């Protein structure tokens, strides 16, 4: 028994594993698809797939059982012969079983197909018959209304024939309609005189050929109590006029049944007059007046005026119906009248022999007495079941090959297990390396960001003091340079975030023009050292305030301008901002540029953008709530070879190895910029030519604040509002840039190419701006002359005053104040913090700040005290626990994460446990709520303050019970935003 048990297990192991192996290899090599499209066909392919899936799953289970309990070492060579015989027998049984199973499936499918096709034809025939029946019944009502008791009658043969011919499309199965009037024997003679013909008897003898038929040859109807001669008939059956429909036994019985029941009555199939084709007649009684539904047969007979019959040529009509179906040739259709079940009457089709498979669909033509059926069968006999044959043969062949490859199978199993163990080990190492990488990045980020937080925080506090415009500009430039230093760190961290898919954008309102000015301030020194003109122009159609991520937008522009500064030694760098919809209006002149040097056609940089190549909603940039802007950075630098265009956005890639040695850089700035542009639902591209320059263009979608199109970029509080200025510059583009900056101060500017011409035409101006290259010292005088210079070392002795480019609104305002003898207006222009409601929110709030770094404590405390908050310091987590143990008076807590002795995570967890213990104690009655300030649910908001910007740190904050997260270096705005969110949440919960 043990030997047989082992042999049985081995047979199942080999069979199922090998079939699963063959199925996987076959599917991966496209074998299944080939068979499906070739020999097997669609249904066979599905059967194959189901069979292989079941065998594969079962085979994997048996393989696992085999690996655990038998193992390759327990196999013996003397088992092979018995094992092979047993396997062949199993293969034969399996192949025969599969053949029977698949053949039965094919047969069932064939039966279902036949039933579906037959039911479809029966339903169509029945539906069209019902349509015809309803129309004939409606005609009986029309005849009753417009013919009987009307003198003269509104209907005659011509009217009836014309009407029935025009409405024949509403009776798709009728070949003709006729009306027979009820005539009593006492009325016969007068009726025949009135009609001009005698009542004929219906010929029940052998019908004559269609061409030989003549109604005059019919015999006169013998005497009866009543007659039903046809007086009106459609032209197709006009030969039945004067024929008494009561003279035939079959017709008489149906006519009498129709008038007694008030419903439509069908005749048995019979040969129609003249056409000699098989047909039936549907008869409705026509009454003199409308009868109630419960009228007795006697009442119906008394009120009968005539009979309206519809003639159905069954053979031709069924044939027309089947011709409408594309698959009419696939099956054979027979229609039978089975009223007499033992002797059914064939109405359509031939009685040819079938292959034994047929389907019967019932037909209901509205007459409960008469029964009809449709019999269907296939024309062709069932084909050979090649799917079942090839499958069974294939299984048999596989069973014969198993013995030969068994040794290779065992070796394959062992190799797969070894590879799996090796891959699991590598996976553990990779996970450990990833954790180490995250910890390293977090540590580096914290150690660098902590002192930078103090630098930037103190600069922010300095900006809040009373400074003149020049001092504000210096502080702002230093602050933005510090941010640029942090951005160098962020580039590496951002690349790590991009690789892990954890980079996200924020949504805040910002001034795009101020962001662009700040970027230019960062590169002011480098541009002047290289004597490269740096300028910016923002279209007046761009709104003043947008909603998006200003930090990431600044990062993109900084990367692009930084690249241009790096590779440009002469000429200019020109940053332009427009709406996407303005792109079609832009013109290009190769020699008309900011510095006069040739530039590339900037339109090539966005020519491949999808928003410009297809008509979609993206093309319309300025909807009520979405703004699609386009930023271009044009330079006259070295240019990029065409073959390198495709690789410039790859991470850590530069045009050539000499670039790194000459200019430095990591090569990830453009890669990060491309990713950020995609997150902003935009696109980025370039146009470049060697020794001419490059133009990088990107688009970005922002939200429009309050859904309003605010396009006024001027400073409304400027003391220069309403002044008039004359700008003298012969270059259109340069004049356009200068005019843009001057008008932002509220000054009305008029541009002229020549100073003398301008003073002659516009005498009343407050100041004159003139380019240094066309300045003549003889022109000194009134109005005030100001030189626009590209160099900070210009000879100011030649002129009353010189303004150094690049122009920025803050620098320009400060220069005009000094030139025109105005006092400094404070720091209104630099205020970016809108504190309309923050003072009311923070005033009187007691806030605990926990940080081991005294500089960071001063920065956070200064930012909060500015708006009336009562700030308490703590340098250690243990002290924070003591201060925040209920009851206490603190409204919120800012806690650093990385601190000695006890970090912020542990401190927060302990505080939450203390709060939870007090809550449970009060609920259980162990503690008194009065001892805890009558507060039963203590929960002080704790916001994390850390220099770690890794996603794992943010998740750890949430797990430890913190309510918010502020990264270092932080700005005062970040603190205000988090505090307002927390207090707003507390306010909502209290209500």
């Amino acid at each position: 028994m043990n030997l047989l048990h082992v042999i049985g297990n081995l047979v199942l192991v080999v069979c199922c594993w090998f079939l699963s192996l063959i199925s996987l290899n076959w599917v991966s090599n496209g074998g299944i698809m080939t068979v499906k499209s070739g020999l097997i066909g669609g249904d066979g392919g599905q059967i194959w797939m189901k069979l292989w899936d079941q065998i594969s799953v079962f085979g994997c289970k048996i393989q696992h059982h085999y690996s655990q309990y038998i193992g390759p070492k327990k196999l013996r060579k003397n088992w092979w012969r018995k094992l092979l015989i047993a396997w062949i027998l199993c293969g034969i049984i399996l192949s025969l079983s599969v053949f029977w199973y698949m053949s039965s499936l094919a047969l069932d499918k064939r039966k279902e197909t036949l039933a579906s096709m037959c039911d479809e034809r029966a339903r169509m025939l029945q539906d069209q018959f019902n349509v015809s029946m309803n129309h004939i019944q409606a005609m009986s009502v029309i005849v009753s209304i417009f013919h009987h008791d009307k003198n003269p009658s509104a209907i005659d043969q011509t009217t009836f024939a014309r009407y029935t011919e025009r409405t024949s499309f509403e009776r798709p199965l009728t070949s003709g309609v006729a009306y027979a009037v009820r005539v009593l024997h006492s009325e016969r003679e007068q009726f025949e005189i009135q009609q001009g013909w005698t009542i004929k008897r219906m010929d029940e003898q052998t019908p004559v050929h269609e061409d030989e038929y003549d109604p005059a040859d019919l015999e006169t109807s013998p005497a009866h109590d009543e007659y039903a001669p046809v007086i009106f008939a459609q032209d197709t059956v006009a030969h039945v006029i004067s024929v008494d429909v009561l003279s035939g036994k079959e017709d008489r019985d149906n006519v009498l049944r129709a008038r007694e029941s008030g419903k439509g009555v069908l005749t048995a199939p019979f040969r129609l007059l003249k056409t000699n084709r098989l047909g039936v007649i549907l008869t409705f009684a026509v009454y003199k007046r409308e009868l109630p539904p419960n009228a007795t047969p006697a009442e119906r007979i008394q009120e009968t005026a005539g009979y309206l019959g519809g003639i159905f040529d069954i053979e031709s009509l069924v044939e027309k119906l089947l011709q409408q179906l594309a698959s009419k040739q696939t099956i054979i259709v027979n229609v039978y009248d089975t009223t007499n079940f033992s002797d059914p009457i064939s109405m359509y089709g031939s009685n040819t022999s079938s292959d034994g498979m047929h389907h019967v669909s019932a037909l209901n033509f509205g007459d409960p007495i008469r029964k009809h059926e449709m019999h269907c069968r296939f024309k062709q006999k069932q084909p050979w079941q090649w799917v079942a044959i090839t499958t069974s043969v294939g299984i048999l062949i596989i069973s014969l090959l198993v013995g030969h490859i068994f040794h290779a199978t065992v070796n394959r199993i062992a190799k797969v297990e070894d590879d799996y163990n090796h891959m699991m080990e590598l996976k553990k190492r990779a996970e450990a390396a990833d954790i180490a990488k995250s910890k390293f990045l977090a540590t580096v980020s914290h150690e660098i960001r902590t002192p930078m937080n103090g630098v930037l925080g103190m600069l922010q506090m300095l900006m809040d003091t009373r400074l003149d415009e020049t001092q504000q500009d210096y502080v702002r430039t230093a602050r933005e340079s510090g941010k640029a230093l942090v951005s160098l760190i962020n580039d590496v961290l951002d690349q790590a975030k991009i690789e892990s898919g954890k980079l996200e954008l924020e949504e805040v309102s910002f001034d795009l023009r101020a962001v662009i000015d700040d970027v230019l301030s960062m590169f002011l020194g480098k541009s002047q050292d290289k004597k490269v003109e740096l300028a910016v122009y923002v279209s007046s159609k761009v709104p003043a305030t947008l909603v998006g991520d200003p930090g990431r937008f600044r990062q993109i522009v900084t990367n692009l301008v930084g690249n241009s500064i790096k590779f440009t030694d002469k000429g200019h760098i020109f940053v332009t901002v427009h709406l996407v919809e303005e792109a079609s209006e832009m013109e290009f002149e190769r020699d008309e540029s900011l510095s006069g040097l040739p530039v590339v056609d900037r339109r090539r940089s966005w020519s491949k953008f999808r928003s410009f190549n297809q008509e979609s909603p993206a093309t319309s940039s300025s909807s009520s709530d979405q703004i699609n802007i386009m930023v271009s950075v044009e330079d006259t630098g070295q240019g990029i070879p065409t073959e390198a265009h495709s690789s410039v956005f790859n991470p850590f890639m530069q045009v050539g190895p000499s670039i790194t040695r000459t200019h430095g850089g990591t090569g990830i700035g453009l890669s990060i910029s491309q990713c950020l542009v995609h997150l902003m639902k935009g696109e980025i591209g370039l146009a470049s030519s060697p020794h001419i320059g490059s133009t990088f263009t990107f688009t970005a979608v922002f939200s429009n604040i309050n859904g309003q199109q605010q396009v006024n970029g001027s400073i409304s509080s400027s003391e220069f509002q309403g002044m008039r200025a004359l700008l003298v510059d012969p270059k259109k583009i340069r004049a356009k840039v200068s005019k843009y900056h001057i008008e932002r101060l509220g000054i009305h500017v008029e541009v002229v190419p020549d100073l003398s011409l301008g003073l002659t035409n516009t005498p009343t101006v407050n100041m004159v701006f003139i380019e240094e290259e066309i300045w003549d010292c003889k022109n000194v005088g009134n109005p005030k002359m100001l030189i626009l210079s590209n160099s900070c070392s210009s000879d100011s002795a030649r002129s009353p005053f010189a303004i150094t480019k690049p122009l920025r609104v803050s620098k320009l305002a400060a220069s005009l104040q000094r030139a025109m003898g105005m006092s400094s207006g404070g720091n209104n222009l630099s205020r970016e913090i809108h504190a309309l409601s923050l003072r009311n929110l923070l005033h009187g709030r007691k806030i605990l700040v926990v940080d081991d770094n005294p500089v960071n404590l001063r920065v956070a405390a200064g930012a909060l005290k500015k708006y009336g908050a009562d700030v308490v310091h703590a340098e250690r987590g243990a002290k924070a626990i003591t201060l925040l143990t209920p009851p206490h008076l603190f409204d919120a807590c800012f806690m650093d994460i990385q601190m000695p002795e006890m970090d912020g995570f542990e401190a927060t967890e302990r505080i939450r446990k203390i709060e939870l213990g007090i809550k449970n104690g009060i609920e259980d009655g162990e503690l008194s709520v009065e001892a805890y300030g009558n507060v039963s649910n203590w929960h002080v908001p704790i916001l994390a303050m850390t220099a770690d910007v890794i996603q794992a740190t943010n998740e750890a904050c949430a797990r430890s019970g913190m309510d918010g997260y502020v990264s270092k270096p932080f700005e005062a705005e970040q603190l205000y935003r988090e505090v307002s969110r927390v207090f707003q949440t507390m306010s909502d919960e209290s209500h």
Side-chain angles (χ1 to χ4, degrees):
M1 291 296 294
N2 292 334
L3 179 61
L4 293 177
H5 179 70
V6 172
I7 292 175
N9 284 339
L10 289 176
V11 169
L12 291 177
V13 168
V14 175
C15 172
C16 298
W17 185 90
F18 183 75
L19 289 178
S20 64
L21 179 65
I22 293 298
S23 67
L24 290 175
N25 291 337
W26 196 8
V27 170
S28 64
N29 293 329
I32 289 294
M33 297 307 296
T34 303
V35 174
K36 285 178 67 177
S37 60
L39 177 63
I40 291 180
D43 296 335
Q46 295 179 0
I47 296 172
W48 267 105
M49 292 297 293
K50 292 179 181 179
L51 180 62
W52 285 126
D53 290 341
Q54 295 175 0
I55 292 176
S56 299
V57 174
F58 185 66
C60 293
K61 294 180 180 179
I62 297 299
Q63 177 184 338
H64 178 69
H65 175 78
Y66 159 76
S67 301
Q68 285 186 333
Y69 298 103
I70 300 178
K73 295 182 179 180
K74 295 184 180 181
L75 294 177
R76 296 294 183 267
K77 293 183 179 179
N78 56 352
W79 295 352
W80 272 103
R81 183 173 300 175
K82 296 180 180 180
L83 180 62
L84 183 60
I85 294 174
W87 170 250
I88 293 175
L89 292 177
C90 291
I92 293 174
I93 295 173
L94 180 62
S95 63
L96 293 177
S97 300
V98 170
F99 177 77
W100 173 83
Y101 174 71
M102 297 182 70
S103 297
S104 62
L105 287 180
L107 183 62
D108 293 341
K109 182 66 174 179
R110 185 175 173 85
K111 289 180 179 179
E112 292 177 3
T113 303
L114 179 62
S116 176
M117 298 173 68
C118 192
D119 291 342
E120 179 186 13
R121 286 154 177 75
R123 184 172 57 254
M124 291 181 63
L125 180 61
Q126 184 172 304
D127 291 344
Q128 295 196 22
F129 186 89
N130 290 337
V131 171
S132 302
M133 181 178 66
N134 293 336
H135 192 267
I136 292 174
Q137 186 177 10
M139 288 185 62
S140 66
V141 176
I142 293 175
V143 173
S144 174
I145 295 174
F146 293 99
H147 178 67
H148 292 287
D149 295 332
K150 297 294 188 295
N151 190 15
S153 173
I155 302 176
D156 56 12
Q157 169 58 25
T158 303
T159 304
F160 187 88
R162 184 183 300 115
Y163 175 76
T164 53
E165 183 65 28
R166 292 182 177 178
T167 59
S168 60
F169 68 92
E170 299 182 7
R171 306 180 303 278
L173 294 184
T174 59
S175 58
V177 181
Y179 172 68
V181 67
R182 183 186 183 191
V183 179
L184 300 178
H185 182 69
S186 59
E187 302 170 349
R188 174 175 179 172
E189 182 177 357
Q190 182 181 356
F191 175 80
E192 290 179 341
I193 294 173
Q194 182 180 358
Q195 295 295 330
W197 39 257
T198 59
I199 300 175
K200 302 296 192 300
R201 183 174 68 88
M202 182 176 291
D203 189 2
E204 296 182 354
Q205 299 178 1
T206 303
V208 296
H209 191 270
E210 178 179 357
D211 297 335
E212 300 174 356
Y213 177 82
D214 186 359
D217 296 338
L218 297 177
E219 298 179 0
T220 302
S221 177
H224 294 288
D225 293 338
E226 62 177 299
Y227 309 91
V230 177
I231 61 173
F232 303 143
Q234 190 174 345
D235 289 341
T236 56
V237 292
H239 54 275
V240 300
I241 295 178
S242 76
V243 176
D244 181 11
V245 297
L246 292 178
S247 60
K249 183 179 182 308
E250 179 71 21
D251 292 276
R252 181 181 182 84
D253 293 341
N254 284 280
V255 168
L256 297 180
R257 188 157 57 92
R259 74 181 184 181
E260 292 177 0
S261 64
K263 299 180 180 179
V265 174
L266 279 173
T267 65
F270 66 97
R271 295 292 174 179
L272 299 175
L273 293 176
K274 187 177 181 180
T275 62
N276 196 25
R277 297 175 65 88
L278 196 64
V280 295
I281 297 178
L282 175 66
T283 305
F284 282 95
V286 177
Y287 299 103
K288 299 176 182 178
R289 63 183 180 86
E290 183 177 358
L291 297 177
N294 59 350
T296 63
E299 292 175 345
R300 293 184 180 277
I301 294 173
Q302 180 66 28
E303 295 296 328
T304 299
Y307 314 95
L308 186 69
I311 303 170
F312 294 81
D313 188 343
I314 297 298
E315 292 184 4
S316 62
L317 297 178
V318 174
E319 183 65 27
K320 291 179 181 178
L321 175 64
L322 296 179
Q323 286 178 355
Q324 300 176 12
L325 301 172
S327 58
K328 72 182 186 66
Q329 301 295 337
T330 307
I331 62 174
I332 299 175
V333 175
N334 292 78
V335 180
Y336 292 94
D337 185 326
T338 57
T339 304
N340 184 0
F341 187 77
S342 60
D343 186 20
I345 302 173
S346 176
M347 301 174 65
Y348 174 79
S350 58
N351 294 321
T352 57
S353 60
S354 65
D355 61 355
M357 182 186 296
H358 72 283
H359 180 77
V360 178
S361 297
L363 296 172
N364 182 10
F365 291 149
D367 190 344
I369 302 300
R370 308 214 64 85
K371 307 295 182 182
H372 301 85
E373 293 178 352
M374 178 179 287
H375 294 211
C376 304
R377 62 184 184 276
F378 284 107
K379 271 190 174 184
Q380 304 292 336
K381 292 186 176 181
Q382 185 175 3
W384 287 90
Q385 297 300 316
W386 290 110
V387 175
I389 294 173
T390 54
T391 303
S392 59
V393 172
I395 293 176
L396 184 59
I397 293 175
I398 291 174
S399 65
L400 296 176
L401 294 175
V402 167
H404 181 67
I405 63 171
F406 185 70
H407 283 295
T409 302
V410 174
N411 294 334
R412 178 75 176 272
I413 294 174
K415 186 177 184 303
V416 169
E417 291 178 350
D418 293 341
D419 292 343
Y420 174 77
N421 294 331
H422 182 62
M423 291 174 62
M424 292 301 296
E425 181 65 24
L426 293 178
K427 181 175 179 290
K428 292 179 181 179
R429 293 180 183 178
E431 291 175 348
D434 185 65
I435 294 174
K437 171 188 171 183
S438 298
K439 290 182 178 179
F440 172 76
L441 292 176
T443 302
V444 172
S445 171
H446 181 272
E447 294 303 323
I448 298 178
R449 283 171 171 264
T450 297
M452 284 305 303
N453 176 58
V455 173
L456 296 180
M458 289 301 177
L459 287 173
Q460 178 63 45
M461 295 174 67
L462 179 60
M463 290 181 66
D464 292 334
T465 62
R466 187 173 183 83
L467 303 174
D468 60 26
E469 295 294 337
T470 301
Q471 292 171 332
Q472 289 182 43
D473 187 63
Y474 292 159
V475 173
R476 185 185 298 105
T477 302
R479 185 166 174 265
E480 295 304 323
S481 297
K483 291 182 179 180
L485 178 59
V486 175
S487 70
L488 295 177
I489 308 169
N490 291 340
D491 281 346
V492 179
L493 299 177
D494 287 344
Q495 187 64 31
K497 288 183 179 180
I498 291 171
E499 293 174 357
S500 61
K502 297 180 180 180
L503 189 64
E504 298 179 353
L505 300 179
E506 64 177 353
E507 291 287 331
V508 297
S509 60
F510 68 99
D511 185 351
L512 181 141
R513 291 170 173 82
V515 171
I516 298 294
D517 284 350
D518 291 341
V519 172
L520 263 64
S521 298
M522 294 170 53
F523 298 101
L524 174 61
K526 291 183 179 180
S527 65
Q528 290 179 346
D529 292 342
K530 286 191 168 187
K531 297 183 179 180
V532 174
E533 187 172 356
L534 185 61
V536 62
Y537 173 78
V538 181
S539 170
S540 59
K541 295 183 179 180
V542 177
T545 306
L546 298 174
V547 177
D549 193 328
R552 295 303 182 182
F553 177 76
R554 178 188 289 106
Q555 184 177 357
I556 299 172
V557 180
T558 300
N559 287 340
L560 297 180
V561 176
N563 280 347
S564 295
I565 287 286
K566 187 185 302 182
F567 298 106
T568 303
D569 297 325
K570 61 179 181 178
H572 68 270
I573 298 171
F574 189 23
V575 181
T576 60
V577 184
H578 295 84
L579 298 181
V580 167
E581 61 189 16
E582 297 182 81
S584 59
E585 304 172 2
M586 296 183 187
E587 298 180 355
F588 173 75
E589 295 182 9
R590 183 179 181 87
D591 297 327
E592 179 68 22
S593 65
L594 188 67
S595 61
L597 296 179
V599 294
V600 296
D601 187 353
R602 66 173 57 190
R603 293 174 297 185
R604 288 164 39 201
S605 62
W606 66 70
S607 60
K608 295 183 180 180
F609 287 0
R610 292 187 301 272
S611 56
F612 293 101
N613 295 329
Q614 61 184 11
E615 293 184 1
S616 64
T619 305
S620 180
S621 61
S622 296
S623 61
S624 59
D625 56 352
Q626 295 290 323
I627 299 296
N628 194 355
I629 68 168
M630 182 174 66
V631 181
S632 295
V633 180
E634 175 188 275
D635 65 58
T636 56
Q638 299 176 5
I640 303 174
T642 304
E643 59 273 11
H645 287 187
S646 59
S647 61
V648 294
F649 294 107
N650 295 336
F652 307 105
M653 292 291 294
Q654 293 189 341
V655 174
S658 61
I659 297 298
T660 303
R661 294 193 299 267
T662 304
H663 301 281
T666 61
I668 62 175
L670 289 179
S671 174
I672 295 173
S673 298
Q674 184 183 47
C675 177
L676 295 177
V677 167
H678 290 167
L679 289 177
M680 294 179 182
K681 302 177 183 179
E683 301 172 89
I684 187 169
L686 79 155
S688 182
S689 297
H691 310 297
I692 294 180
S694 305
T695 297
F696 284 82
T697 299
F698 72 92
T699 61
V701 178
F702 296 105
S703 299
N704 193 6
I705 186 168
N706 298 328
Q708 298 178 358
Q709 191 75 6
Q710 304 173 5
V711 297
N712 184 13
S714 63
I715 308 300
S716 58
S717 61
S718 172
E719 59 267 44
F720 306 102
Q721 193 79 27
M723 291 187 178
R724 299 176 61 85
L726 186 66
L727 175 60
V728 183
D729 193 342
K731 293 185 178 181
K732 295 181 180 179
I733 294 182
R734 190 170 60 186
K736 182 178 180 181
V737 173
S738 301
K739 181 180 179 181
Y740 154 72
H741 288 283
I742 299 170
E743 286 185 341
R744 289 182 64 188
L745 296 175
I747 302 174
H748 177 72
V749 180
E750 183 170 347
V751 180
V752 294
D754 182 75
L755 178 60
S756 59
L757 179 63
L759 293 176
T760 303
N761 296 334
T762 55
T764 58
V765 293
N766 302 99
M767 62 195 77
V768 176
F769 295 89
I770 185 169
E771 283 294 328
E772 183 181 21
E773 65 183 42
I774 62 172
W775 165 248
D776 186 355
C777 59
K778 298 178 181 179
N779 294 326
V780 176
N782 289 321
K784 193 69 175 180
M785 296 287 182
L786 300 113
I787 293 180
L788 301 178
S789 173
N790 289 324
S791 175
C792 59
S793 60
S794 299
D795 186 7
S796 58
R798 298 184 304 164
S799 61
F801 203 84
I803 300 176
T804 306
K805 296 181 181 180
L807 297 179
R808 292 158 295 156
V809 65
S810 58
K811 179 67 175 179
L812 184 61
S815 299
L816 289 179
Q817 285 174 352
R818 290 195 302 270
M820 304 193 70
M822 297 180 179
S823 61
S824 177
N827 56 356
N828 292 332
L829 293 176
S830 65
R831 293 193 178 272
E832 300 176 358
I833 303 173
H834 304 285
L836 297 178
S837 60
L838 288 174
R839 183 174 296 277
N840 295 331
L841 181 65
L842 294 175
H843 184 73
R845 299 279 187 175
K846 190 172 184 179
I847 298 177
L848 176 64
V849 179
V850 185
D851 199 321
D852 60 318
N853 189 299
V855 177
N856 290 339
L857 282 175
R858 292 182 61 187
V859 171
L864 295 172
K865 287 180 179 180
K866 177 181 176 181
Y867 290 94
D870 182 11
V871 180
V872 178
H873 299 168
E875 293 79 16
R876 293 292 185 269
K879 183 177 180 181
I881 295 175
T882 302
L883 294 175
L884 294 179
T885 299
H888 59 78
L889 300 177
F890 290 100
D891 297 293
C893 172
F894 283 89
M895 182 172 296
D896 188 24
I897 290 180
Q898 294 189 8
M899 295 183 294
E901 299 177 3
M902 182 187 299
D903 61 21
F905 296 141
E906 183 180 354
T908 302
E909 290 175 354
R910 291 190 182 186
I911 294 171
R912 296 306 183 211
K913 288 181 181 179
I914 293 173
E915 293 173 344
L916 181 61
I918 294 174
K919 176 184 177 182
N920 294 335
I922 293 175
E923 292 178 352
D924 297 339
E926 299 176 357
L927 299 176
S928 172
V929 68
E930 290 80 7
Y932 293 93
N934 292 321
V935 178
S936 60
N937 187 15
W938 280 92
H939 182 91
V940 59
I942 300 178
L943 304 176
M945 267 193 327
T946 179
D948 296 345
V949 293
I950 307 301
Q951 181 69 17
T953 304
N954 194 1
E955 296 172 355
C957 292
R959 288 196 301 268
S960 64
M962 293 184 174
D963 300 278
Y965 182 91
V966 178
S967 64
K968 300 177 183 177
F970 54 80
E971 300 179 0
E973 292 90 337
Q974 293 178 292
L975 295 176
Y976 306 149
R977 185 166 58 250
E978 288 298 320
V979 170
S980 62
R981 180 183 62 81
V982 171
F983 288 162
Q984 183 64 37
T985 303
M986 294 173 58
S987 176
D988 294 340
E989 291 177 354
S990 63
H991 292 294

